[in-house]
């Protein structure tokens, strides 16, 4: 009887651990899942640039499609749900001092400050990462206006 009790506890904790971890949004995993729409364009970047990509560790929606565009010193990664929710993350390499003006500024969990612009259908977040010498930009589109800014900041803080 003790064996069954212990076994059920072990199974419970294994299931709990499995449920609490979100999907793997690492570079290597995304390359495997989306070889043509993500991996192929990203392979044009140097190894150093790939390591500096602004890839969120978590998303407030279920990822259904992923696409990357590489153009010059800018890379855009588009995360889409099966509804109207999407996150577009741009990484601008060697940007100089080219940040957009923002009325609202919010401190980031990792230090630094992000400029925020609330627009009709999305939130635009932009910040500079001095360690990598890159500018990250996030455009987060969601139909839930009340949670849009909070969710955008969750994505932003998971990139830092």
């Amino acid at each position: 009887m003790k064996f069954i009790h212990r076994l059920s506890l072990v199974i419970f904790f294994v299931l709990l651990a499995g449920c609490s971890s979100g999907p793997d949004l690492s570079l290597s995993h995304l390359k495997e899942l989306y070889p043509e729409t993500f991996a192929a364009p990203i392979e044009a970047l140097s190894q150093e640039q790939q390591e500096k990509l602004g890839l969120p560790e978590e998303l407030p929606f279920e990822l259904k499609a992923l696409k990357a565009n590489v153009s010059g010193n800018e890379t855009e990664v588009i995360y889409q749900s099966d509804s109207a929710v999407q996150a577009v993350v741009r990484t601008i390499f060697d940007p100089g001092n080219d940040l957009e003006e923002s009325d609202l500024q919010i401190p980031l969990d990792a230090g630094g400050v992000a400029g925020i612009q609330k627009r009709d259908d999305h939130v635009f977040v932009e910040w500079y990462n001095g360690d990598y010498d890159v500018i990250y930009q996030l455009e987060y589109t969601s139909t839930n206006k009340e949670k849009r800014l909070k969710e955008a900041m969750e994505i932003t803080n998971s990139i830092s």
Side-chain angles (χ1 to χ4, degrees):
M1 194 64 158
K2 284 185 178 183
F3 174 75
I4 293 173
H5 181 68
R6 287 183 185 162
L7 180 62
S8 51
L9 276 176
V10 169
I11 291 172
F12 171 76
F13 285 116
V14 168
L15 289 173
L16 183 63
C19 293
S20 64
S21 63
D24 184 359
L25 298 175
S26 68
L27 178 63
S28 60
H29 189 71
L30 293 175
K31 282 182 175 181
E32 286 177 26
L33 290 176
Y34 303 95
E36 293 180 23
T37 60
F38 179 74
I42 294 302
E43 290 301 321
L45 299 173
S46 70
Q47 187 66 33
E48 180 183 1
Q49 288 174 318
Q50 289 184 38
E51 292 170 6
K52 294 178 180 181
L53 273 177
L55 301 176
E57 294 177 7
E58 57 187 64
L59 295 169
F61 58 90
E62 187 176 344
L63 182 63
K64 292 295 184 178
L66 182 70
K67 182 179 178 184
N69 300 311
V70 177
S71 176
N73 71 333
E74 186 175 308
T75 301
E76 179 179 77
V77 181
I78 304 163
Y79 299 83
Q80 290 186 290
S81 72
D82 56 358
S83 63
V85 179
Q86 100 171 358
V88 178
V89 180
R90 279 183 212 83
T91 304
I92 303 170
F93 301 100
D94 304 316
N97 191 10
D98 194 21
L99 293 170
E100 290 192 25
E101 294 286 324
S102 296
D103 294 331
L104 178 61
Q105 301 210 344
I106 297 178
L108 299 174
D109 291 348
V113 176
I116 312 292
Q117 296 177 23
K118 294 181 190 178
R119 299 186 178 158
D120 290 339
D121 62 341
H122 69 276
V123 173
F124 177 80
V125 184
E126 181 178 54
W127 69 104
Y128 176 73
N129 182 318
D131 294 336
Y132 290 162
D133 190 29
V134 296
I135 291 176
Y136 294 122
Q137 297 175 335
L138 168 68
E139 286 183 29
Y140 180 63
T141 305
S142 168
T143 55
N144 189 336
K145 279 186 146 183
E146 290 79 34
K147 290 186 177 181
R148 192 181 297 151
L149 178 59
K150 178 183 179 284
E151 291 173 345
M153 290 311 300
E154 288 172 359
I155 296 170
T156 298
N157 281 313
S158 80
I159 292 174
S160 306

